[in-house]
Amino acid sequence: MKLHSWIKTLFYKAGYSVKKIRHAPRKAAADAKQRTTAVDVMQLLHRTNPYDGFDFRPFPLDSHGWGGQSPAFRELIARKRPRLIFEVGTWKGASALEMAAACRDLGLATQIVCVDTWLGALEFWNDQNDPERYLALQLRHGYPSVYYQFLANVCHGGFQDRIVPFPQTASTAALWFRAHGIKAELIYVDASHEEEDVYHDLASYWEILDAGGILFGDDYGWDGVRLAVERFAEQEGRRVSFVADKWLLTREA
Ligand SMILES: C[S@@+](CC[C@H](N)C(=O)[O-])C[C@H]1O[C@@H](n2cnc3c(N)ncnc32)[C@H](O)[C@@H]1O
């Protein structure tokens, strides 16, 4: 292997996907600890606030989802009192709204960054008559528009200052957090339920989980989720524990 491609490989393994090796991400990564506690992800991610000028009135509140009302959210937020939460898989925002309400009630100034393509997971495209998935994608000219229902739900809840939309794939968003040296104390994983996808999400978000932080998720009853969580936990020497209906993995402090 040539020297420059060997160096590129090293950088890639350290989290920099580079055509040219730039200094900015490295500097950002060096500030990681500070950023965990002080960063405003909304400003860093969005040049224009996504809620600015958005008229949510045509969208009545509809936060239908899965596993969003679990008592686990309040319990874990009360335990960790996080400054930053990543949610990977948001859909219409049921779980994000629950977490935002818990943070508000506990007097925490937590930001919740919601990572989702808002394009649905595999099971959303399997049955064209499914009112909760395919039809709820609200295809316009073949492209999902459910993102706007999510945005409206956040406005109905009055959580525009807490909930930061990040419309991106789980893996690209993880790279972005990593390149900016941003870690969260709580990370909720509820995106794809296919084993290899879940495993990849666990591996990439574990990297950006703060020391002492908790990675948790939904749907342990799904084979794909359970197999991925068990495989990842064994590989990392972690024990899978549970709060209510959520599985969790805790990082050492
Ligand atoms: C089960 S739903 C999330 C439910 C939500 N947490 C709730 O409270 O109702 C899964 C979501 O993950 C998103 N998703 C699936 N695969 C993804 C990926 N690779 N990257 C980003 N989002 C993804 C889908 O668009 C969908 O909105």
Side-chain angles (χ1 to χ4, degrees):
M1 197 185 285
K2 286 190 181 150
L3 182 63
H4 87 277
S5 61
W6 180 78
I7 290 170
K8 270 186 165 183
T9 306
L10 268 185
F11 270 78
Y12 185 78
K13 285 188 175 160
Y16 305 107
S17 176
V18 280
K19 280 191 175 155
K20 277 191 268 172
I21 294 165
R22 300 191 186 96
H23 297 301
R26 203 159 41 152
K27 183 182 179 310
D31 295 340
K33 192 64 203 166
Q34 189 191 340
R35 283 192 178 268
T36 305
T37 55
V39 69
D40 181 346
V41 181
M42 181 68 98
Q43 274 191 11
L44 205 56
L45 199 53
H46 295 289
R47 187 168 169 155
T48 302
N49 187 303
Y51 301 103
D52 281 358
F54 175 64
D55 182 7
F56 65 94
R57 287 167 304 181
F59 303 88
L61 178 69
D62 165 17
S63 56
H64 175 268
W66 300 272
Q69 269 71 51
S70 171
F73 295 114
R74 270 172 200 271
E75 187 175 330
L76 294 174
I77 288 169
R79 199 193 289 178
K80 295 308 307 175
R81 303 182 69 81
R83 291 184 172 88
L84 196 54
I85 299 173
F86 299 154
E87 173 172 82
V88 189
T90 295
W91 187 235
K92 294 180 188 173
S95 42
L97 294 172
E98 181 67 22
M99 290 194 276
C103 293
R104 177 201 58 203
D105 296 348
L106 287 162
L108 302 172
T110 313
Q111 267 192 341
I112 302 165
V113 185
C114 291
V115 175
D116 200 308
T117 55
W118 283 280
L119 299 177
L122 178 62
E123 67 273 15
F124 287 64
W125 290 85
N126 284 340
D127 175 3
Q128 294 190 353
N129 296 312
D130 185 343
E132 295 181 350
R133 295 179 180 79
Y134 184 89
L135 293 171
L137 284 165
Q138 300 176 53
L139 296 177
R140 279 193 209 148
H141 304 283
Y143 202 82
S145 63
V146 63
Y147 170 76
Y148 298 103
Q149 182 64 61
F150 153 74
L151 214 58
N153 291 338
V154 176
C155 298
H156 283 294
F159 293 125
Q160 298 96 313
D161 56 341
R162 292 182 180 274
I163 294 184
V164 181
F166 192 170
Q168 191 44 270
T169 61
S171 44
T172 296
L175 287 174
W176 186 89
F177 289 128
R178 195 167 158 176
H180 287 80
I182 302 170
K183 293 185 173 185
E185 296 99 331
L186 271 186
I187 302 181
Y188 182 53
V189 178
D190 188 22
S192 169
H193 292 14
E194 305 308 304
E195 183 182 344
E196 290 311 316
D197 293 343
V198 178
Y199 181 83
H200 186 266
D201 290 348
L202 299 179
S204 46
Y205 282 86
W206 187 253
E207 292 289 316
I208 48 175
L209 182 65
D210 213 8
I214 296 173
L215 186 71
F216 69 116
D218 202 24
D219 294 315
Y220 204 71
W222 283 53
D223 288 349
V225 174
R226 195 188 64 257
L227 291 169
V229 173
E230 284 175 356
R231 174 154 52 112
F232 183 74
E234 189 180 346
Q235 181 192 298
E236 290 295 320
R238 301 276 122 196
R239 199 171 51 81
V240 184
S241 55
F242 297 88
V243 171
D245 57 330
K246 310 298 180 199
W247 57 264
L248 43 132
L249 296 169
T250 304
R251 204 172 180 131
E252 65 279 3

